[in-house]
Amino acid sequence: MQDTAKALPLEIRRALVDAMRVLHERGLINLRGGNASALYPFSKEAIFVYITPSGVAKPLMSPEDIAVMDLDGNVYEGRPSSEYRLHLAIYRGREDARAIVHAHNPLAVLARRLGLRLDTGLLGVEARYYLGECVAFVPETEPGTWELAEKAAKALGDKRCYVAVLEGHGAVAIGTSKDPVQAVYEAVDRLEVLEDLARATILHSLVHR
């Protein structure tokens, strides 16, 4: 049990590093964009948030770069992402969230700009399995602010939704697996499926003009 407790934080750090690399390879973030976090419940009283750092080239990160804070915003290690408020607000609002990943999802942002509805039913049961019954939307708001954080948390308060498009900014997804490492990959997967859905939605709109 002690070995597992010691290993899990390192596994979480590695998963967050992997998440940023995958998102960059998929074109969902730029070199310094995006952020990700996962919860580590050390005990009932001590729940830590492992979160990617601010101002670091994301695909070049190492596990040692990951910052650590708690749900009250106290920082214990490193320099958390400037979007840490977004993560804390969503965790506080969704008790099932175990990981949160924010990317820039250009096609999802474009689809919203074009006034298109991202219907998870367009790609069938697979998309609904990953994304839930809906895609939430957050009006354009200054990044890194509590205002954006609170709006995103409210949008994702609908437990039928696991992703939200941040208008003019990107998207955010939650992972709900009880294993925080798997929850990170779950959230990344959801952002990838969201971008596939946005691509299909834009193509569908062009064909049916």
Side-chain angles (χ1 to χ4, degrees):
M1 187 72 173
Q2 285 184 330
D3 290 342
T4 301
K6 290 179 181 178
L8 185 56
L10 179 56
E11 291 176 7
I12 291 173
R13 290 173 184 268
R14 288 171 174 165
L16 294 172
V17 169
D18 284 347
M20 293 293 98
R21 176 183 53 79
V22 169
L23 291 172
H24 186 260
E25 289 174 353
R26 283 294 303 266
L28 297 180
I29 60 171
N30 55 23
L31 190 64
R32 297 183 184 275
N35 39 79
S37 70
L39 291 183
Y40 172 53
F42 182 76
S43 68
K44 289 183 179 180
E45 294 75 26
I47 299 176
F48 297 108
V49 179
Y50 282 69
I51 186 168
T52 51
S54 176
V56 174
K58 297 306 191 301
L60 303 178
M61 286 193 313
S62 67
E64 293 75 21
D65 293 322
I66 300 300
V68 183
M69 62 192 306
D70 63 24
L71 289 171
D72 293 322
N74 300 305
V75 179
Y76 301 103
E77 185 179 338
R79 184 183 177 192
S81 167
S82 60
E83 288 285 10
Y84 75 88
R85 299 170 185 84
L86 176 70
H87 294 253
L88 297 186
I90 294 172
Y91 283 130
R92 292 169 185 169
R94 282 287 294 261
E95 71 276 5
D96 60 338
R98 295 294 180 272
I100 295 168
V101 180
H102 164 50
H104 291 156
N105 285 67
L107 293 180
V109 172
L110 175 60
R112 184 61 178 171
R113 281 282 196 228
L114 295 173
L116 301 175
R117 178 172 173 263
L118 294 175
D119 180 1
T120 59
L122 182 63
L123 294 183
V125 67
E126 280 290 307
R128 282 187 173 166
Y129 172 78
Y130 288 106
L131 300 178
E133 297 179 32
C134 55
V135 175
F137 295 100
V138 179
E140 192 162 349
T141 308
E142 185 69 22
T145 62
W146 278 114
E147 182 183 5
L148 172 63
E150 289 163 2
K151 286 180 179 178
K154 183 178 181 180
L156 287 169
D158 184 343
K159 291 188 176 180
R160 298 176 305 156
C161 302
Y162 295 104
V163 295
V165 175
L166 312 177
E167 295 195 57
H169 184 178
V172 61
I174 64 172
T176 57
S177 172
K178 291 183 179 180
D179 179 346
V181 171
Q182 293 307 312
V184 171
Y185 295 124
E186 187 178 41
V188 170
D189 215 358
R190 284 173 170 154
L191 288 173
E192 290 182 316
V193 174
L194 174 65
E195 195 71 351
D196 291 341
L197 174 61
R199 181 181 295 105
T201 300
I202 293 170
L203 291 174
H204 185 269
S205 71
L206 293 174
V207 169
H208 292 83
R209 275 185 169 181

